[in-house]
Amino acid sequence: MIWCLQERFPCKMVLFVTSALVLLGQAACKSESVQCLTRHPLPIVHKYYQSGDFLIAGIVSLMFQLSDTIRFEECPSPSTSDSLLVYIQLYQNILALVFAVKEINEHPQLLPNISLGVHIYNNYFSQRLSYQAALELLSTKGRFIPNYKCDNQNNLVAVLGGPNSDLCFYVADILGLFKVPQLLYGSAPVMTNKSEGAFLYSLFPSWTNQYRGIVKLLLYFQWIWIGVIYSNDDYGEQFVQNVLPIFSEHGICFDFITKFPPITFSSSIYEMENENYKISTVVMGSTARAVVVHGEIEIMVVFRILIKAAEFYEIPMRTEAKVWILTAQVDFTTMKLQRNWNLDFIHGALSFAVPSRDVSGFDQFLRGENPMSENEDGLIADFWKQAFGCSLPSTPELMTDEEICTGEEKLESLPGSVFEMRMTVHSYSIYIAAHVVAHALHDMYSSMLRHRALADGGRRKFLNQKPWQFHEFLKRVSFNNSAGDLVSIGQKGEIEAGLDIINWVTFPNETFLRAKVGRIGSKAPEDKMFTLHDDAIIWPRMFNQVQPLSLCNDRCQSGYSKKKKEGKPFCCYDCLPCPEGKISVLEDTNDCFQCPEDQYPNMNQNSCLEKYIIFLSYEEPLGISLATFALIFSFMTALVLGIFIKNQDTPIVKANNRNISYILLTSLLFSFLCALLFIGQPGKLSCLLQQTTFGIIYSVAISCVLAKTVIVVLAFIATKPGSGMRNWVGKWLSISIVLSCTFIQTTICTVWVIIAPPFPDFDVHSMTEEKILRCNEGSISMFYCVLAYMGFLAIVSFAVAFLGRKLPDSFNEAKFITFSMLVFCSVWLTFVPTFLSTNGKYTVAVEIFSILASSAGLLVCIFSPKCYIIVVKPELNMKGHITRKQNESL
């Protein structure tokens, strides 16, 4: 029997059953004495009928029954029910269709001389009864014989379906066989092939835009740690399998993904208690502040039960601490048992909605609604009872203790949480659907008129048009409705519209407001499809009007980088301080990075500071000390030179090669002064002069020492009888040694200056917080050539002096030169590793110290004994004393 079918009809089965019923119906019409061989199913009691030339039918969800278990011990009857639960707000959908048809029928030009009627069935959220309602629409009114009509009936022109997508799918199985246009005011079902949806027209925009909009909303507020609750059906499973991976691709993680408890339409609804507790614990205990609620219109009832369970079981997390993000199909609905429940749970929620407008005259129409004047409204009695708590006098099986309605009850007296006087989104879609049908009929009528098909009997011919002929005009519908909106059906059978972003605001008087705060465009470019006025959003009260964050953990502040937590989603991570020398400027950076070469990280490692310039200056103690020593030694050298010049004719001065001594003292004087070139801010000229001047002057000094040593040794050899060295001993030999040695160093320095001269440069790598302004050697190899040549001269001088250290001469300098060159070599051997191991201005200080120390060693070791004799012991500065010492030695 048809009424026993629980699942969707296979197409072949539908054809078989329909054909059989047609034959039975024909037999019944031919002879009243013939009895049907099948039992008629229980009639659908809750329906609305209003006659007209063309009939707009509706198979909608408004109420359902909590039924006893069928035991098959007796034939069920329409009165077999424990309780009837009405979605009170959804009755406005019925009134919206009635109002739209009334408005169309009163329009003088839209459908002149043609009236529209209404035939609405409640499917009780049931697949079986959706099938039954579709079959009844194809039957003679009052009989259940599909596809056969015994007498003249209103023409079925279109069927409105909704708001559940799956139930619309079942209706499409039946009506699609007869090519009846079906307009869906809820979300369209997902079709497995094109033929299934060939006769469906959706007044609901594409789901693709909504899912893109949700992603953009989450990313706009940087809510990357969210929860998801979805309906426990195929529609919800498709959302999880096909849509949530897109969320992950955009960097959004899930704290939880859970189903709503299964919705049942029997007394077992009370068995949902344990399931509600488990789900409430998961949802309310989550750290995610943003939760996506996905489902269809009845989900709001289950959602409120879930919230109530959290309050009842005193689950710690308060419901106000979540921002609920509702999909467009979810709207506010309630049942009688939820009437006094708190509305605060939805305060501050965000949802998507089909764009809608206030329709002029609708509120007046609602105010005039009177249950006593409706003759064929099988819905109003139960609606009135649950909305106002009273029963109509005409209600069958009226209980004696029930309050009787007076008929003076007004819809505007109901709180907004029970019934809204403004047209809701779904009601607006139904209103639009009725006008789409009317304008398509108008276009079809005008087309027949142009082809002169409306001659004699033309009206009758128009009324006899088949449903399949109506599709061509539905696909081309485009008009401006009374609210000023352009309505058109796209090529895919979907209305061309975007989606509004709605902010829910509740008030203490059990009312709420849907405030539009943004929009998702349907045809706008990707970068402009999403608009949001976040400053207009009212957040849940617990957030004190501060935009909430929904993150797995606190953001990594600047100066830290992210490190993924093992075993956790990619949105969860630890925050590690940046390694030394690196920074991170932004929050939640994956890696730290180095500052530019001329900058360094601050203490918090979140910004770069400009390195300050350092060099050995005259304003710091080290620079002052070295400059002071340089000047002191210069003064001492000048003093020694003055003493030698003053006593130039004394034996001791003459005996020690007076001219070479003058040159040596002068070179030492300049070497001390040369140290001053290394102090102060380096410039082009100072860098050019530093090393070259130092190299040449020191070469002069060492060559003088070498000349002195050579002359002493040659002089001793020349004094031996028969020696031929006497001709070599003279002042020209010493001058030649000095000039030749100096020439070589000068040549090296000249080549250096030509090919790669020293220049001022910044060393940004040696120090962390400073950049060193120093003289770059230009060619490090040439620099070491200069040092190597000086080292060579020093070693030769030391070797010659060491060989002549025991010569019998009272004023023999070889001993002092040996010691001075030992000091000199020790200083410069120490200089090399020290120079290489220091940084910044201390490198320069080491070189200055080496210059001063080595020069001072030469000055003190060579000239201090002579100055002592000249100044302190002048009696020893006598030629006789020198001659006597020489004779004693011989």
Side-chain angles (χ1 to χ4, degrees):
M1 293 181 289
I2 294 176
W3 63 274
C4 294
L5 295 176
Q6 298 291 335
E7 301 295 334
R8 191 154 42 118
F9 276 38
C11 291
K12 292 182 179 179
M13 180 61 71
V14 172
L15 287 171
F16 174 79
V17 173
T18 304
S19 301
L21 290 175
V22 168
L23 294 175
L24 291 172
Q26 290 174 343
C29 290
K30 289 179 180 178
S31 174
E32 295 182 358
S33 62
V34 177
Q35 291 185 347
C36 291
L37 300 179
T38 60
R39 289 184 59 87
H40 292 290
L42 292 175
I44 296 178
V45 177
H46 295 94
K47 52 191 174 183
Y48 184 104
Y49 182 79
Q50 176 183 311
S51 63
D53 295 326
F54 285 104
L55 199 64
I56 300 179
I59 301 178
V60 301
S61 301
L62 175 65
M63 58 187 74
F64 63 83
Q65 292 176 332
L66 297 178
S67 304
D68 292 329
T69 303
I70 298 177
R71 303 181 182 277
F72 298 97
E73 296 177 353
E74 59 180 0
C75 183
S77 64
S79 60
T80 304
S81 64
D82 292 334
S83 178
L84 188 71
L85 299 180
V86 180
Y87 287 90
I88 302 174
Q89 286 83 357
L90 298 187
Y91 185 68
Q92 191 194 95
N93 298 347
I94 310 298
L95 298 180
L97 180 57
V98 175
F99 172 75
V101 169
K102 175 178 179 292
E103 191 176 68
I104 293 167
N105 288 335
E106 292 175 354
H107 197 289
Q109 298 176 346
L110 189 56
L111 292 174
N113 301 322
I114 297 173
S115 64
L116 290 181
V118 177
H119 199 173
I120 302 174
Y121 286 87
N122 174 47
N123 61 15
Y124 302 94
F125 294 91
S126 167
Q127 303 165 4
R128 175 177 64 84
L129 292 175
S130 296
Y131 275 127
Q132 182 176 333
L135 291 171
E136 283 196 23
L137 282 175
L138 300 171
S139 306
T140 299
K141 185 174 182 294
R143 299 191 182 186
F144 189 73
I145 309 175
N147 201 29
Y148 187 83
K149 298 182 180 179
C150 296
D151 52 5
N152 292 329
Q153 296 290 329
N154 304 117
N155 291 326
L156 178 63
V157 67
V159 177
L160 304 186
N164 293 64
S165 62
D166 57 342
L167 298 181
C168 294
F169 192 93
Y170 301 122
V171 173
D173 270 351
I174 303 295
L175 299 181
L177 297 174
F178 302 93
K179 300 180 181 180
V180 176
Q182 300 155 69
L183 283 76
L184 310 181
Y185 65 89
S187 56
V190 178
M191 301 296 179
T192 57
N193 57 68
K194 292 183 179 180
S195 61
E196 290 179 333
F199 310 107
L200 294 180
Y201 301 88
S202 178
L203 278 298
F204 193 94
S206 169
W207 274 113
T208 304
N209 270 358
Q210 176 173 208
Y211 296 143
R212 289 165 62 197
I214 294 175
V215 171
K216 287 187 175 292
L217 180 70
L218 294 173
L219 295 179
Y220 180 87
F221 290 117
Q222 300 181 6
W223 293 337
I224 59 174
W225 181 245
I226 68 170
V228 176
I229 320 176
Y230 64 97
S231 54
N232 193 347
D233 52 24
D234 292 341
Y235 180 57
E237 293 296 338
Q238 289 173 353
F239 170 74
V240 172
Q241 294 175 11
N242 301 331
V243 179
L244 292 189
I246 300 175
F247 285 41
S248 298
E249 291 173 4
H250 287 81
I252 298 171
C253 298
F254 307 100
D255 186 14
F256 65 88
I257 302 175
T258 187
K259 300 179 183 178
F260 279 107
I263 301 174
T264 179
F265 301 106
S266 66
S267 57
S268 61
I269 190 172
Y270 301 106
E271 297 175 3
M272 296 164 48
E273 181 179 354
N274 290 336
E275 191 71 19
N276 278 327
Y277 174 76
K278 294 177 182 177
I279 297 175
S280 296
T281 303
V282 171
V283 175
M284 300 308 164
S286 165
T287 58
R289 295 292 182 88
V291 180
V292 175
V293 180
H294 183 276
E296 303 210 56
I297 197 161
E298 72 274 13
I299 282 297
M300 181 59 73
V301 171
V302 186
F303 184 40
R304 297 190 70 185
I305 293 174
L306 199 68
I307 301 299
K308 194 68 175 178
E311 296 176 359
F312 179 78
Y313 291 111
E314 297 181 353
I315 296 175
M317 180 66 73
R318 294 176 56 193
T319 58
E320 290 87 350
K322 306 287 184 188
V323 178
W324 310 107
I325 302 170
L326 313 176
T327 53
Q329 188 58 14
V330 179
D331 202 355
F332 188 85
T333 53
T334 187
M335 294 187 299
K336 184 178 180 180
L337 60 91
Q338 297 175 323
R339 184 165 179 169
N340 296 323
W341 290 6
N342 196 341
L343 297 179
D344 285 346
F345 78 99
I346 205 171
H347 181 79
L350 297 173
S351 69
F352 293 82
V354 178
S356 61
R357 299 277 191 94
D358 288 333
V359 176
S360 176
F362 183 66
D363 56 344
Q364 293 296 329
F365 176 77
L366 294 181
R367 289 188 178 93
E369 183 70 10
N370 188 341
M372 306 301 180
S373 63
E374 299 291 343
N375 296 323
E376 295 194 55
D377 186 353
L379 304 166
I380 195 168
D382 290 297
F383 162 75
W384 218 262
K385 179 178 180 180
Q386 298 212 11
F388 292 100
C390 62
S391 298
L392 298 179
S394 58
T395 302
E397 302 179 5
L398 186 65
M399 304 296 291
T400 56
D401 58 343
E402 288 183 343
E403 183 179 348
I404 306 300
C405 298
T406 63
E408 299 300 322
E409 296 84 7
K410 297 298 179 182
L411 293 178
E412 64 264 28
S413 65
L414 295 173
S417 59
V418 176
F419 190 86
E420 296 180 69
M421 294 300 290
R422 296 182 62 182
M423 185 174 282
T424 64
V425 169
H426 289 93
S427 295
Y428 186 76
S429 296
I430 292 174
Y431 173 82
I432 293 297
H435 278 272
V436 166
V437 173
H439 279 79
L441 284 173
H442 174 81
D443 293 342
M444 187 169 66
Y445 182 86
S446 301
S447 176
M448 295 180 66
L449 183 63
R450 285 194 300 271
H451 292 85
R452 299 185 178 181
L454 294 181
D456 295 337
R459 182 177 183 276
R460 184 172 60 256
K461 186 175 182 179
F462 175 62
L463 295 178
N464 289 330
Q465 294 294 303
K466 302 301 180 184
W468 61 267
Q469 296 174 305
F470 188 50
H471 288 283
E472 179 184 355
F473 300 95
L474 272 175
K475 293 177 181 178
R476 298 192 311 223
V477 163
S478 181
F479 64 94
N480 288 317
N481 65 5
S482 60
D485 291 329
L486 175 64
V487 179
S488 61
I489 303 293
Q491 293 296 323
K492 296 182 179 180
E494 296 175 340
I495 192 169
E496 296 181 349
L499 288 167
D500 290 338
I501 302 175
I502 302 299
N503 183 212
W504 294 72
V505 183
T506 62
F507 302 98
N509 61 349
E510 297 184 32
T511 60
F512 54 83
L513 172 68
R514 299 180 182 90
K516 179 180 175 181
V517 294
R519 180 169 175 78
I520 304 295
S522 59
K523 295 184 178 180
E526 184 70 22
D527 58 336
K528 296 181 179 179
M529 67 167 291
F530 177 84
T531 57
L532 185 68
H533 307 290
D534 53 342
D535 54 339
I537 295 177
I538 302 298
W539 298 110
R541 293 183 178 89
M542 191 174 184
F543 298 121
N544 295 322
Q545 203 49 32
V546 176
Q547 177 192 320
L549 298 175
S550 190
L551 304 170
C552 178
N553 44 259
D554 291 336
R555 294 186 181 279
C556 291
Q557 301 299 318
S558 54
Y560 292 81
S561 62
K562 298 192 298 185
K563 181 183 179 183
K564 187 181 181 303
K565 289 183 178 179
E566 294 296 330
K568 294 288 185 179
F570 61 85
C571 293
C572 302
Y573 45 82
D574 291 318
C575 297
L576 300 180
C578 288
E580 186 176 355
K582 293 187 176 182
I583 69 163
S584 63
V585 178
L586 303 176
E587 293 183 338
D588 279 351
T589 53
N590 293 316
D591 296 299
C592 301
F593 61 91
Q594 295 279 2
C595 286
E597 290 184 343
D598 58 345
Q599 297 178 358
Y600 70 97
N602 64 350
M603 183 178 296
N604 296 326
Q605 292 183 281
N606 58 7
S607 66
C608 292
L609 303 178
E610 194 73 23
K611 290 185 176 181
Y612 55 91
I613 301 172
I614 63 167
F615 53 86
L616 187 61
S617 69
Y618 289 104
E619 297 177 357
E620 57 182 306
L622 182 59
I624 294 172
S625 300
L626 292 175
T628 302
F629 280 111
L631 293 175
I632 291 173
F633 283 120
S634 299
F635 175 78
M636 292 174 59
T637 306
L639 182 62
V640 172
L641 180 60
I643 292 173
F644 268 56
I645 293 174
K646 183 178 180 180
N647 298 276
Q648 60 182 335
D649 295 326
T650 60
I652 196 169
V653 175
K654 290 180 180 181
N656 288 279
N657 201 330
R658 178 173 55 188
N659 293 330
I660 295 300
S661 295
Y662 291 161
I663 296 173
L664 177 57
L665 286 170
T666 303
S667 64
L668 290 177
L669 173 63
F670 281 111
S671 67
F672 287 126
L673 295 177
C674 173
L676 299 178
L677 289 174
F678 293 84
I679 305 175
Q681 182 173 348
K684 290 183 178 181
L685 182 60
S686 61
C687 286
L688 194 64
L689 294 176
Q690 277 181 7
Q691 303 296 350
T692 55
T693 303
F694 155 68
I696 293 172
I697 290 174
Y698 249 67
S699 296
V700 173
I702 299 172
S703 62
C704 288
V705 173
L706 178 61
K708 274 179 168 289
T709 309
V710 170
I711 294 299
V712 169
V713 173
L714 291 178
F716 177 78
I717 296 174
T719 58
K720 292 182 179 181
S723 174
M725 296 298 297
R726 185 179 299 273
N727 296 329
W728 290 93
V729 178
K731 64 179 181 179
W732 291 111
L733 176 61
S734 59
I735 295 299
S736 298
I737 293 173
V738 172
L739 289 177
S740 59
C741 294
T742 304
F743 175 76
I744 295 173
Q745 185 71 292
T746 303
T747 302
I748 296 173
C749 291
T750 302
V751 173
W752 183 11
V753 170
I754 292 174
I755 63 172
F759 59 91
D761 186 25
F762 284 106
D763 177 8
V764 296
H765 301 291
S766 300
M767 308 292 286
T768 303
E769 300 180 5
E770 302 92 6
K771 54 182 178 180
I772 306 163
L773 180 58
R774 64 179 182 84
C775 289
N776 190 310
E777 286 78 11
S779 174
I780 194 69
S781 59
M782 296 302 296
F783 172 67
Y784 284 116
C785 283
V786 170
L787 293 181
Y789 181 71
M790 288 191 298
F792 171 74
L793 291 179
I795 292 172
V796 172
S797 299
F798 174 75
V800 174
F802 182 80
L803 294 174
R805 69 187 186 281
K806 295 184 178 181
L807 294 178
D809 188 353
S810 297
F811 299 100
N812 182 14
E813 289 184 305
K815 297 178 181 179
F816 305 116
I817 291 174
T818 301
F819 187 72
S820 67
M821 294 313 298
L822 181 63
V823 172
F824 183 91
C825 291
S826 300
V827 169
W828 286 103
L829 286 174
T830 308
F831 162 78
V832 174
T834 308
F835 179 83
L836 295 175
S837 62
T838 54
N839 292 317
K841 58 187 178 182
Y842 299 104
T843 303
V844 179
V846 166
E847 187 169 359
I848 295 173
F849 175 80
S850 299
I851 293 172
L852 296 178
S854 58
S855 299
L858 293 177
L859 177 66
V860 173
C861 293
I862 294 175
F863 293 100
S864 59
K866 299 176 180 59
C867 290
Y868 176 78
I869 292 173
I870 293 172
V871 176
V872 179
K873 298 288 186 177
E875 64 275 10
L876 300 178
N877 192 8
M878 302 296 293
K879 187 175 181 180
H881 180 73
I882 296 173
T883 304
R884 186 173 60 254
K885 288 293 183 183
Q886 290 176 344
N887 292 333
E888 290 176 357
S889 300
L890 295 173

